[in-house]
Structures are given as C-alpha cells and as structure tokens.
Amino acid sequence: MKPMYLDAVENHEAVEPHATMFTQMRAAGVPIPEILHLFTFKPERTQYLAVFTQGVMRGPSPLPPWQRELIAAFTSKLNQCLF
C-alpha cells in the first residue's frame, strides 16, 4: 500500500483497541487501511463516523445487511480502495 500523504497520521502510535489489531495486521503482512490510521489519530472525532457507519450498515433498511455490505465492497473495488 502506498504511504499516506499525512505522515503524522500514519505514524501516530496506535492505542487500544487498534494497537493489537495493527500489530497483528503488520505481522501477517496485511496493509492497514488508511481510514484506520485516522481512527487512531483522532478517536474523539471519528467515533461519530463509526456510529454513523454502523447505523447505515446495520440499522433499519429495506436492504438486508449482506446486500449493503456487497454494495460497499463493490463500490470500494470500483474506487480501487481496500475494503
């Protein structure tokens, strides 16, 4: 994965609950999605994004969660974004 444009965000030391996940991903050779770096950099800001995302993906909807996940994965693929 290419480095981010914001070194301070990507190189910010992760704390739990993300620190263990980052360590495991690095050990497995799995690239860490850029959005997760943002979540560790400003958790007090990104908590609202997490709540919103869960509401969209798991809240009441005419589409079942699996269809919403499929749409999200397909959109990410079209945007050449790791999902």
Side-chain angles (χ1 to χ4, degrees), residues 32-76:
I32 299 168
E34 292 176 2
I35 189 73
L36 292 182
H37 287 291
L38 182 62
F39 274 67
T40 62
F41 185 68
K42 294 285 185 180
E44 70 280 0
R45 304 273 198 290
T46 55
Q47 68 183 349
Y48 302 106
L49 178 58
V51 169
F52 170 77
T53 301
Q54 283 303 308
V56 168
M57 298 305 286
R58 300 287 182 256
S61 171
L63 298 176
W66 70 267
Q67 273 187 328
R68 291 180 262 177
E69 291 284 351
L70 186 61
I71 291 167
F74 182 69
T75 302
S76 293

